[in-house]
Amino acid sequence: INAEYMGSFGLDPNCAMQLVSAVLLACIAAHALAAECHGKPSPDAKPNLNPIHTGDAVFVKSIKNAKLYTVGAGDETLNVLHLWGTPYEMGVAQGTILKDKATQLVDNVWSYLEQEVEQAINGTFHHLQPWFVDLVAEFGLDTGLDITYDATRRYTGPYFEEEIAGLAHATGVSEAKIRRIHMIGELTKGDCSMFGAWGNATASTGSLMQLRALDWDVDGPFRNFPQITVYHPTEARYGHAFANIGWTGWIGAITGISSKRLAISEIGVAFPDDTFGRESRFGIPFTYLLRDILQFDNSLQDAENRITHAHRTCDLILGVGDGNSKQFRGVQYSASVANFYTDTDMMPIADWHPRMNDTVYYGMDWLCPGYNEVLHAQLQKFYGNITAENTIREITSITQTGNLQIAVYDLTNMIVHTANARRDGSAGPLNAYERPFVRVDFNKLFAEQP
């Protein structure tokens, strides 16, 4: 961010540059004061014995470039939206067939950000990064998000903007507002868990199994808009078919699977050690990078190359599984480093995070003994028989991870079991790890024709 750019917002350049310096110092200080998380699962955690919904997708309606189905039943029903065409055409199609829901998602996320900022400024609990709170306090929410967007724009593929333009055209929501809410991944703090298991760990099935458990704000808006969006690009330059397991009108990816048998996991790191180095605000938003892996990469090696050469931003742990090679990598990710780990060199190494043959796992954070100990114990309990069913019944539920969303990928058979937090007006427990799961066959979804 230079003086000329900040001046374009009508901001005093000296003040702005002081703010940038403060942001950088805050990032450095965060690492200097690194500690361990102190949370852990309840010792009274119960298995998830709910039935798993296994029915086929049910057709709802179709329009040009879009077909809408549902999977699941009752309170666990969620949309499956197929899209065809160019990025702009896909944006128009989603904004047309699900106009009301897409508009509500954007408006609700915007209101959520306003509420989070107000709570942060008032000194009450919130999920925002401190540097962003300072930015908004100084310049306002719109400008703060625009500055964040500008720091990422040059690193972001134009197809994201094209899809946003199509979504805006169909819904009547401004492109700026849609663009701004998609910066939320860079601004918030969340805890999540993951594992990849293969070989001897899954000997009973021979599958590569992967977990993506999303622990985020279950009081936020996302739980009311669960959706699987299946993209079928019609031109090779826009990649191959992939699925974003997310929410209506949301184009970034933090959970998903591709027709090339790649899948993604992600953990926000609030407790790093000094091996992470520095963070940066200048780079590709990680939700866009993860989607690029799904949309364009053909193998784990492609994904590793993409991550290695990306302009990275915040501290994360990523997970990428490859069903063709039956390999999984955990990734220590920051502006400074991109380190790829398998079972033999998984880090950090500690008595609460022991290595396991043919398994890579992370519970809630980089330095988080309480959750890692329980996740390891449950993986060890089912070692040799780590299946989707056992993961649902006694791994995520006992570790109490995945309060907002869970995806359990079988990348060998292209089957995903997914669950979401309780929506408004629904019955049953709040957390996704306590609720019924839905089984989805992605062989069928990727074979869908327009």
Side-chain angles (χ1 to χ4, degrees):
I1 302 176
N2 58 33
E4 289 78 16
Y5 169 71
M6 301 301 283
S8 72
F9 285 92
L11 306 175
D12 177 73
N14 292 327
C15 175
M17 295 313 294
Q18 289 173 1
L19 177 60
V20 172
S21 298
V23 169
L24 295 175
L25 288 172
C27 293
I28 294 169
H31 285 277
L33 298 174
E36 296 177 350
C37 78
H38 298 291
K40 60 182 179 179
S42 168
D44 299 322
K46 300 293 191 295
N48 182 342
L49 302 179
N50 291 301
I52 296 171
H53 297 284
T54 59
D56 288 335
V58 177
F59 177 76
V60 178
K61 62 180 176 179
S62 64
I63 62 170
K64 182 180 179 181
N65 293 322
K67 292 171 75 172
L68 180 63
Y69 291 79
T70 61
V71 292
D75 290 341
E76 271 53 61
T77 302
L78 68 151
N79 288 336
V80 175
L81 177 64
H82 293 271
L83 299 172
W84 289 268
T86 65
Y88 180 82
E89 290 169 339
M90 291 179 179
V92 169
Q94 176 161 204
T96 300
I97 199 168
L98 288 167
K99 179 177 181 178
D100 290 344
K101 278 189 171 294
T103 302
Q104 290 169 16
L105 183 279
V106 174
D107 289 343
N108 288 3
V109 173
W110 183 257
S111 297
Y112 172 76
L113 283 170
E114 290 181 320
Q115 177 183 328
E116 287 284 294
V117 167
E118 181 179 353
Q119 291 176 179
I121 292 173
N122 290 336
T124 55
F125 181 79
H126 63 92
H127 297 82
L128 298 175
Q129 297 281 17
W131 65 264
F132 181 69
V133 175
D134 292 341
L135 198 65
V136 173
E138 187 76 19
F139 305 118
L141 181 58
D142 290 30
T143 300
L145 290 168
D146 286 341
I147 292 171
T148 303
Y149 163 71
D150 195 74
T152 66
R153 178 171 54 186
R154 62 177 293 192
Y155 308 103
T156 301
Y159 37 88
F160 290 106
E161 288 294 319
E162 293 165 16
E163 188 175 347
I164 287 173
L167 190 63
H169 176 83
T171 60
V173 179
S174 72
E175 290 182 44
K177 190 173 186 179
I178 298 172
R179 183 188 306 122
R180 287 166 180 159
I181 68 159
H182 278 86
M183 295 296 102
I184 192 173
E186 299 291 303
L187 312 177
T188 57
K189 298 175 289 186
D191 304 309
C192 309
S193 301
M194 71 171 76
F195 70 70
W198 63 93
N200 290 328
T202 62
S204 62
T205 64
S207 291
L208 170 62
M209 300 300 302
Q210 179 174 340
L211 170 68
R212 192 283 186 268
L214 172 59
D215 293 273
W216 203 14
D217 187 0
V218 290
D219 294 322
F222 290 99
R223 63 190 171 85
N224 289 315
F225 302 91
Q227 178 172 298
I228 298 172
T229 307
V230 187
Y231 291 82
H232 304 268
T234 52
E235 299 180 34
R237 61 182 171 137
Y238 296 125
H240 45 247
F242 69 98
N244 184 353
I245 303 174
W247 307 283
T248 308
W250 188 260
I251 69 170
I254 54 176
T255 310
I257 185 171
S258 79
S259 58
K260 301 299 182 179
R261 298 179 183 269
L262 296 182
I264 55 172
S265 304
E266 172 271 335
I267 299 173
V269 173
F271 296 94
D273 58 26
D274 58 9
T275 64
F276 275 81
R278 66 179 180 85
E279 295 187 279
S280 174
R281 304 275 60 87
F282 298 88
I284 182 171
F286 75 86
T287 61
Y288 288 176
L289 179 139
L290 288 173
R291 177 172 150 168
D292 280 348
I293 290 172
L294 298 176
Q295 186 169 353
F296 296 105
D297 293 346
N298 295 312
S299 66
L300 178 59
Q301 183 177 0
D302 288 347
E304 289 184 355
N305 288 337
R306 180 180 300 280
I307 294 168
T308 298
H309 295 105
H311 291 269
R312 300 176 301 275
T313 56
C314 51
D315 291 346
L316 302 167
I317 310 168
L318 303 184
V320 182
D322 182 340
N324 290 317
S325 65
K326 293 189 178 181
Q327 295 183 74
F328 177 89
R329 294 290 184 273
V331 188
Q332 182 187 25
Y333 179 104
S334 74
S336 299
V337 301
N339 294 320
F340 300 88
Y341 298 122
T342 187
D343 58 331
T344 58
D345 58 2
M346 181 182 69
M347 297 295 288
I349 187 165
D351 56 1
W352 47 263
H353 192 230
R355 292 171 180 166
M356 299 177 65
N357 289 337
D358 300 339
T359 308
V360 173
Y361 67 97
Y362 292 95
M364 289 295 201
D365 212 307
W366 185 256
L367 299 177
C368 197
Y371 280 95
N372 274 288
E373 286 174 340
V374 176
L375 179 56
H376 172 263
Q378 294 307 107
L379 289 167
Q380 192 66 54
K381 177 178 179 179
F382 291 99
Y383 192 84
N385 192 28
I386 297 174
T387 63
E389 290 77 13
N390 287 334
T391 299
I392 293 165
R393 301 290 187 235
E394 292 202 47
I395 297 180
T396 53
S397 60
I398 301 302
T399 309
Q400 294 187 316
T401 186
N403 65 354
L404 183 60
Q405 180 206 63
I406 297 175
V408 183
Y409 311 101
D410 178 341
L411 287 172
T412 302
N413 296 299
M414 293 294 283
I415 303 295
V416 178
H417 291 73
T418 186
N420 292 275
R422 184 185 65 217
R423 280 164 268 181
D424 290 343
S426 296
L430 173 62
N431 298 307
Y433 60 77
E434 300 173 291
R435 298 189 64 82
F437 279 65
V438 178
R439 180 184 185 274
V440 185
D441 185 342
F442 277 84
N443 295 296
K444 293 181 180 179
L445 295 194
F446 289 132
E448 186 74 22
Q449 297 298 311

